[in-house]
């Protein structure tokens, strides 16, 4: 096992790949991309790849206009296939999975890396988010996240005793760990 001090030093200067999972016609795709570009973390250390899963021509145009790399997924593949593809094709140890509708705070990447440095034995960090549109459904979902699942502003370890979901819609993971334990492709239907 690598010394924790060495792990911390490597993470301080880590490159990170943001894997943007794009599907359909995401109305806020440009805002999502800009939120990645506006991170306080060293921009030279951030790369972005977009995984296209039946994305609209409008979204593809926005992605191409921003000069981002697009990887086209096979038709009817599931989300686990796409995430495993990203893990295998990225050169970086840190992978930030991000859904196409999430707008990041400007410190999101730096804060995730800080948590990984603080706890070198954990596999990943998932983010906390609030809905952008507070219709009844989103507001209820946010209240449920806060009150039932206790997903608020403090760090929480997910263990068998203290279990909640690990959202890979907004998560930074260590590639080396997840290559040993791929996302299960047989569990979810292709249109999941």
């Amino acid at each position: 096992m690598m010394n924790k001090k060495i792990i911390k030093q490597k993470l301080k200067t880590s490159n990170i790949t943001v894997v943007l999972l794009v599907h359909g016609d995401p109305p806020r795709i440009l805002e999502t991309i800009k939120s990645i570009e506006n991170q306080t973390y060293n921009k030279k250390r951030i790369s972005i790849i977009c995984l296209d899963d039946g994305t609209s021509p409008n979204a593809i145009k926005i992605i191409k206009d921003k000069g981002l790399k697009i990887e086209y997924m096979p038709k009817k593949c599931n989300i686990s296939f796409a995430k495993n593809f990203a893990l295998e094709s990225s050169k970086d140890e840190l992978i930030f999975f991000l859904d196409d509708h999430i707008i990041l705070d400007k410190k999101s990447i730096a804060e995730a890396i800080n948590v990984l440095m603080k706890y070198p034995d954990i596999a990943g960090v998932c983010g906390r988010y609030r809905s952008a549109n507070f219709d009844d459904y989103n507001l209820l979902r946010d209240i449920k996240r806060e009150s039932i699942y206790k997903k608020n502003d403090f760090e929480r370890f997910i263990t068998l005793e203290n279990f909640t979901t690990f959202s890979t819609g907004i998560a930074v993971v260590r590639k080396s760990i997840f290559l040993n334990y791929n996302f299960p492709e047989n569990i979810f239907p292709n249109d999941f």
Side-chain angles (χ1 to χ4, degrees):
M1 180 156 181
M2 195 180 286
N3 180 316
K4 288 182 182 184
K5 201 173 193 176
I6 294 171
I7 291 172
K8 284 184 176 185
Q9 187 56 38
K10 279 188 166 187
L11 284 178
K12 254 186 196 176
T13 59
S14 283
N15 292 337
I16 187 167
T17 298
V18 178
V19 177
L20 189 54
L21 302 161
V22 189
H23 179 79
D25 192 13
R28 302 184 72 174
I29 187 70
L30 186 56
E31 288 175 85
T32 299
I33 293 168
K34 285 180 181 179
S35 77
I36 300 166
E37 294 172 338
N38 292 330
Q39 291 296 297
T40 59
Y41 193 70
N42 184 342
K43 287 155 187 51
K44 292 179 182 176
R45 298 196 176 280
I46 301 171
S47 62
I48 305 170
I49 59 171
C50 299
L51 300 185
D52 169 38
D53 179 29
T55 309
S56 72
N58 182 48
I60 292 291
K61 181 180 180 337
I62 291 169
I63 293 166
K64 285 184 176 178
D65 286 350
K66 292 301 275 175
L68 299 177
K69 180 179 180 181
I70 302 173
E71 294 286 351
Y72 296 95
M73 296 293 98
K75 286 188 180 199
K76 298 194 178 192
C77 77
N78 63 31
I79 193 72
S80 294
F81 175 89
K83 289 180 179 181
N84 288 333
F85 175 86
L87 286 168
E88 291 170 13
S89 61
S90 172
K91 294 181 177 109
D92 299 326
E93 168 63 3
L94 298 179
I95 311 294
F96 193 150
F97 291 112
L98 187 64
D99 285 352
D100 60 19
H101 64 279
I102 295 177
I103 288 107
L104 297 175
D105 177 84
K106 64 184 177 180
K107 296 179 185 175
S108 294
I109 291 176
E111 287 179 0
I113 291 173
N114 284 338
V115 172
L116 290 170
M117 284 173 34
K118 186 176 178 182
Y119 304 105
D121 295 332
I122 63 173
V125 177
C126 65
R128 175 179 181 262
Y129 61 94
R130 291 196 181 280
S131 301
N133 300 325
F134 288 106
D135 59 23
D136 289 343
Y137 174 73
N138 286 334
L139 186 59
L140 290 174
R141 184 178 59 197
D142 290 347
I143 291 169
K144 184 178 176 183
R145 269 192 220 116
E146 290 282 330
S147 60
I148 296 173
Y149 298 116
K150 307 290 186 222
K151 293 183 175 182
N152 22 18
D153 287 334
F154 61 89
E155 295 163 3
R156 213 171 151 233
F157 293 97
I158 300 171
T159 65
L160 292 177
E161 295 82 30
N162 182 24
F163 185 76
T164 183
T165 57
F166 181 86
S167 173
T168 55
I170 178 172
V172 178
V173 299
R174 296 178 198 267
K175 174 181 172 175
S176 55
I177 293 170
F178 278 82
L179 284 177
N180 293 329
Y181 302 99
N182 286 346
F183 290 97
E185 294 179 25
N186 304 351
I187 293 176
F188 303 111
N190 289 342
D191 60 353
F192 181 75

